[in-house]
């Protein structure tokens, strides 16, 4: 994928090679992820990438020659990608991430009736509910007719914390209320953060 982009004269950013490379084509941001497990990430990351690898034999070849994942698996990855940014990228996400999910669900509405077992398998079900509610609130998509008051409150808090210029330190600790992390994973994140601050 990188060679193809480079061959077309597109600048490829390899700075995040530990996770992915990225490039912009026709105004659209693309990320090229390696399916090998990246050391240091949480169990949700590892479970999701195992799910992706398992699903590759079922990928469909499109008329343009590229492989397209099953829509349910693609939706799970969109949710995981958003959770990863909340966890590791300063707690900030882009509205584009909610739009990615909305467009996928609008194109394949059957995902909503099928994705719960896969989300539970990788540990993202609760996070997906808040993300989907925030998508409905911000984009008016109406994927669910009615949300309970608790989920609506969490979705509003999610939007404020991760989509605005909220207080970075508040966001850093508040994200733990949304992410499916074990105590050991939280301690590792804090340890790595302290280590990076001390090395500066």
């Amino acid at each position: 994928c990188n060679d193809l982009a480079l061959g077309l004269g597109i600048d490829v950013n390899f700075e995040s090679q530990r996770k992915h490379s990225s490039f912009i084509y026709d105004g659209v941001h693309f990320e090229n992820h390696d399916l090998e497990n990246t050391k240091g990430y949480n169990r949700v990351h590892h479970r999701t990438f195992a799910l992706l690898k398992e699903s590759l034999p079922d990928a469909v070849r499109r008329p343009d020659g590229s492989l397209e994942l099953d829509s349910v698996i693609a939706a799970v990855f969109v949710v995981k990608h958003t959770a990863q940014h909340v966890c590791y990228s300063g707690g900030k996400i882009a509205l584009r991430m909610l739009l990615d999910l909305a467009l996928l669900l609008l194109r394949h509405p059957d995902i909503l009736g099928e994705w719960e077992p896969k989300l539970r398998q990788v540990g993202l079900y609760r996070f997906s509910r808040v993300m989907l509610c925030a998508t409905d609130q911000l984009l008016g998509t109406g994927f669910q007719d009615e949300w309970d008051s608790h989920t609506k409150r969490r979705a509003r808090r999610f939007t404020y914390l991760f989509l605005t210029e909220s207080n970075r330190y508040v966001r850093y600790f508040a994200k733990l209320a949304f992410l499916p992390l074990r105590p050991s994973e939280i301690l590792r994140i804090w340890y790595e953060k302290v280590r990076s601050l001390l090395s500066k």
Side-chain angles (χ1 to χ4, degrees), residues 166-192:
S166 61
N167 183 293
R168 182 181 179 90
Y169 298 103
V170 171
R171 187 170 68 241
Y172 186 79
F173 289 99
K175 70 183 182 183
L176 301 175
F178 292 89
L179 294 167
L181 297 171
R182 291 176 172 164
S184 60
E185 292 170 332
I186 293 170
L187 289 173
R188 190 180 72 234
I189 290 169
W190 285 348
Y191 170 76
E192 289 171 0

Side-chain angles (χ1 to χ4, degrees), residues 29-62:
H29 177 88
F30 288 86
E31 291 182 358
N32 182 24
H33 287 257
D34 186 339
L35 288 183
E36 294 308 313
N37 260 323
T38 308
K39 291 181 181 177
Y41 282 92
N42 60 42
R43 74 190 191 287
V44 168
H45 173 88
H46 298 300
R47 288 176 180 174
T48 305
F49 272 68
L51 182 66
L52 283 171
K53 289 175 86 169
E54 287 170 17
S55 72
L56 287 178
D58 299 322
V60 175
R61 190 165 299 283
R62 300 189 318 201

